[in-house]
Amino acid sequence: QLNIQIRDEYGTVMEERRRFFKVRSNLRCIISGHERDGTVYEYDVPVFTVIKNVSIGGVFIEGTDPPYRKDDTLLLNFMVGGELVGAVVRVLRLQLLIDDSLEGYGCEFINVDQKMEGQLAKLVNNIQIEQRQEQIERDFRRQEAEKRVKGSG
């Protein structure tokens, strides 16, 4: 578990507790149904959205229309290494923007078995590798541009 404490300008301590490392993503997913107050809703037409960050413990997904509520359970489907994964998540929080419009939902995975945990670990690892490679390529292009500028002067 990772514990982070930050003091705001008023001295208030804000604490962030993470059990799992998260990575930024732009992973497309669909929501094929949800459960609210014991009633299950299966969709004829799925809701398309994007997973903005992911960890073994949960996801943050972009806001949707229709909106969901805290404690709703969603059925997400997304690809991991060419394999379609179905995951059940519970909405822990709704995150709003400054103008009170919905940014998205912080969700936790529920009923995660060993196979699913392995798929999620693979997804997080693959995203980390991809992001690191992108950073290396950006750094290389920047250094090459700096060399050309110095060489032309």
Side-chain angles (χ1 to χ4, degrees), residues 2-3 9 13-14 19 21 33 35 38-39 44 52 57-58 66 68 72 74 77 85 91-92 105 108-109 133 135 142:
L2 177 64
N3 294 325
E9 64 269 22
V13 175
M14 298 176 287
R19 290 179 33 208
F21 181 75
E35 180 180 341
T39 303
D44 292 330
K52 299 307 285 182
Y68 297 103
D72 280 355
L74 314 178
N77 297 277
V85 174
V91 177
L92 297 177
Y105 310 97
E108 70 175 336
F109 290 114
Q133 186 61 40
Q135 182 64 49
R142 182 179 40 79

Side-chain angles (χ1 to χ4, degrees), residues 73-86:
T73 302
L74 314 178
L75 179 57
L76 302 183
N77 297 277
F78 51 92
M79 299 297 287
V80 176
E83 183 179 349
L84 182 63
V85 174

Side-chain angles (χ1 to χ4, degrees), residues 64-106:
T64 59
D65 187 23
Y68 297 103
R69 298 181 193 158
K70 185 177 184 292
D71 295 323
D72 280 355
T73 302
L74 314 178
L75 179 57
L76 302 183
N77 297 277
F78 51 92
M79 299 297 287
V80 176
E83 183 179 349
L84 182 63
V85 174
V88 179
V89 299
R90 179 182 7 262
V91 177
L92 297 177
R93 65 183 168 80
L94 280 64
Q95 187 162 310
L96 303 177
L97 296 169
I98 292 173
D99 66 359
D100 285 334
S101 63
L102 180 64
E103 180 180 11
Y105 310 97

Side-chain angles (χ1 to χ4, degrees), residues 3-150:
N3 294 325
I4 300 170
Q5 291 187 344
I6 302 171
R7 292 194 184 275
D8 67 9
E9 64 269 22
Y10 305 106
T12 306
V13 175
M14 298 176 287
E15 190 167 323
E16 178 74 23
R17 293 179 183 260
R18 290 212 174 275
R19 290 179 33 208
F20 304 102
F21 181 75
K22 72 176 180 180
V23 292
R24 288 175 289 111
S25 69
N26 208 19
L27 184 64
R28 295 183 193 142
C29 75
I30 61 171
I31 303 171
S32 56
H34 80 278
E35 180 180 341
R36 176 180 294 154
D37 301 326
T39 303
V40 176
Y41 302 89
E42 294 183 23
Y43 304 155
D44 292 330
V45 177
V47 174
F48 294 85
T49 189
V50 175
I51 296 173
K52 299 307 285 182
N53 68 52
V54 61
S55 74
I56 294 174
V59 293
F60 181 80
I61 57 175
E62 283 187 344
T64 59
D65 187 23
Y68 297 103
R69 298 181 193 158
K70 185 177 184 292
D71 295 323
D72 280 355
T73 302
L74 314 178
L75 179 57
L76 302 183
N77 297 277
F78 51 92
M79 299 297 287
V80 176
E83 183 179 349
L84 182 63
V85 174
V88 179
V89 299
R90 179 182 7 262
V91 177
L92 297 177
R93 65 183 168 80
L94 280 64
Q95 187 162 310
L96 303 177
L97 296 169
I98 292 173
D99 66 359
D100 285 334
S101 63
L102 180 64
E103 180 180 11
Y105 310 97
C107 305
E108 70 175 336
F109 290 114
I110 56 177
N111 302 324
V112 176
D113 60 16
Q114 197 168 14
K115 179 181 178 189
M116 174 66 124
E117 188 172 309
Q119 290 171 315
L120 294 169
K122 179 180 178 181
L123 174 64
V124 169
N125 185 56
N126 289 347
I127 291 171
Q128 284 180 295
I129 291 169
E130 183 179 293
Q131 289 175 351
R132 181 64 184 137
Q133 186 61 40
E134 289 170 359
Q135 182 64 49
I136 290 169
E137 289 173 14
R138 279 193 302 272
D139 291 347
F140 179 78
R141 284 192 301 272
R142 182 179 40 79
Q143 288 175 356
E144 289 297 308
E146 288 173 358
K147 286 178 187 176
R148 283 192 301 274
V149 169
K150 287 180 183 176

